[in-house]
């Protein structure tokens, strides 16, 4: 088992990966640096290996797929996850690692949004998207994570081995944040500086398509983790829509004793029925979700036993 493992997922980062590896080796000389190449068409893997990193490959495209492979293959007391584009300064890694090793924090979030992100980042829609996602998740899940989508994080062994990676792409960070909050894991923020990509290095993010994936991930995870709230909202919306169409029919009936819009009345009754079903589905799924949380605590205990065996 490694004491500290630095995990760097990479796709075409030949211009920056050498500096990233060397910076982290300087700050964390005891750490093992892992670079996972995700089908790069340049010489990222060769450069990383010459810089002193252990290079491995993930052939399923997407950052989520790379993280899944990393978490499965590597055992460490502390994991530092960063990007290969040199936007996250290595000098904050020691503070993040100490929080995991000394304070037993499960996930340390490298908070860009409280420092230089909005001035360094030159993509305005990314700024808007980060703010929207942060406020949405903090409101829906009642937490105070300062930066939901940062790629600079530290994890405990227990977090890594109990985290079910479902996302395939860049929405993986959002999934990590929601999982940590919902499972009542110990989360702390560390304010970090952020610097924009150097000239010649291109972002792999697509503002619109990846942004939509993140929003869909939030909706999916809210449904899975907070089913009572999700289906109650759905039930109320359906009931309100049905009421809007039902009221004119009732008014007409009171005034004339006739129901000229019989199809509307029938549809309204079915929508009301669907609203009732949605509400009780939320009640049932909330019970199942509570049972899943209880089962997860048992998984954490198993991870603790495995951790103690590996560190003996």
């Amino acid at each position: 088992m490694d004491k500290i493992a630095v995990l760097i997922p990479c796709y075409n980062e030949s211009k920056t990966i050498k500096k990233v590896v060397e910076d982290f080796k300087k700050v964390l000389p005891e750490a093992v640096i892992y670079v996972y190449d995700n089908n790069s068409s340049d010489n990222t893997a060769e450069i990383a290996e010459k810089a002193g990193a252990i290079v491995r490959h993930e052939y399923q495209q997407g950052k989520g797929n790379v993280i899944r492979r990393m978490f499965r293959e590597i055992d460490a007391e502390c994991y530092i996850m960063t990007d290969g584009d040199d936007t996250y300064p290595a000098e904050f890694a020691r503070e993040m690692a100490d929080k995991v090793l000394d304070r037993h924090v499960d996930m340390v979030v490298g908070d860009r949004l409280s420092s230089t992100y909005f001035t360094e980042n030159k993509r305005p829609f990314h700024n808007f998207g980060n703010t929207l996602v942060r406020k949405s998740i903090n409101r829906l899940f009642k937490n105070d994570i300062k930066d939901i989508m940062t790629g600079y994080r530290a994890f405990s062994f227990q977090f890594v081995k109990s985290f079910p990676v479902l996302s395939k792409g860049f929405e993986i960070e959002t999934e990590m944040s929601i999982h940590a909050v919902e499972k009542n894991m110990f989360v702390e923020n560390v304010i970090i500086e952020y610097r924009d990509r150097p000239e010649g290095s291109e972002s792999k993010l697509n503002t619109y398509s990846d942004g939509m994936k993140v929003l869909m991930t939030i909706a999916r995870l809210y449904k899975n983790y907070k089913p009572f709230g999700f289906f109650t909202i759905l039930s109320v919306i359906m009931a309100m829509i049905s009421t809007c169409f039902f009221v004119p029919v009732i008014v007409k009936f009171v005034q004339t004793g006739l129901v000229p819009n019989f199809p509307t009345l029938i549809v309204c009754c079915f929508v009301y029925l669907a609203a009732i079903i949605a509400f009780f589905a939320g009640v049932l799924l909330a019970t199942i979700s509570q049972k899943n949380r209880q089962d997860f605590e048992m998984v954490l205990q198993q991870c603790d036993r495995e951790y103690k065996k590996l560190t003996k």
Side-chain angles (χ1 to χ4, degrees), residues 81-187:
M81 183 182 80
T82 188
D83 289 342
D85 56 10
D86 195 32
T87 55
Y88 298 118
E91 54 262 30
F92 297 94
R94 174 63 67 187
E95 180 183 359
M96 296 169 73
D98 287 346
K99 284 183 178 292
V100 172
L101 296 171
D102 299 335
R103 289 175 47 80
H104 307 293
V105 178
D106 289 303
M107 182 174 74
V108 182
V109 175
D111 174 17
R112 310 161 296 170
L113 305 188
S114 298
S115 61
T116 57
Y117 183 79
F118 292 108
T119 55
E120 284 288 323
N121 185 35
K122 305 302 189 296
R123 294 156 291 183
F125 282 107
H126 285 208
N127 295 341
F128 171 76
N130 271 283
T131 301
L132 175 64
V133 169
R134 178 183 61 178
K135 291 184 176 179
S136 298
I137 291 179
N138 285 339
R139 178 68 62 85
L140 290 172
F141 292 90
K142 296 180 174 58
N143 71 92
D144 191 31
I145 294 180
K146 302 298 184 182
D147 190 349
I148 300 295
M149 299 175 66
T150 179
Y152 198 12
R153 299 171 189 249
F155 306 103
S156 67
F157 177 87
Q158 289 81 355
F159 181 96
V160 165
K161 297 305 180 182
S162 65
F163 173 55
V165 181
L166 302 178
S167 300
K168 297 179 181 179
F170 285 99
E171 62 272 25
I172 182 67
E173 286 96 354
T174 304
E175 186 178 347
M176 288 174 174
S177 300
I178 294 176
H179 172 80
V181 170
E182 176 57 22
K183 291 300 188 286
N184 194 32
M185 306 195 88
F186 188 11
V187 179

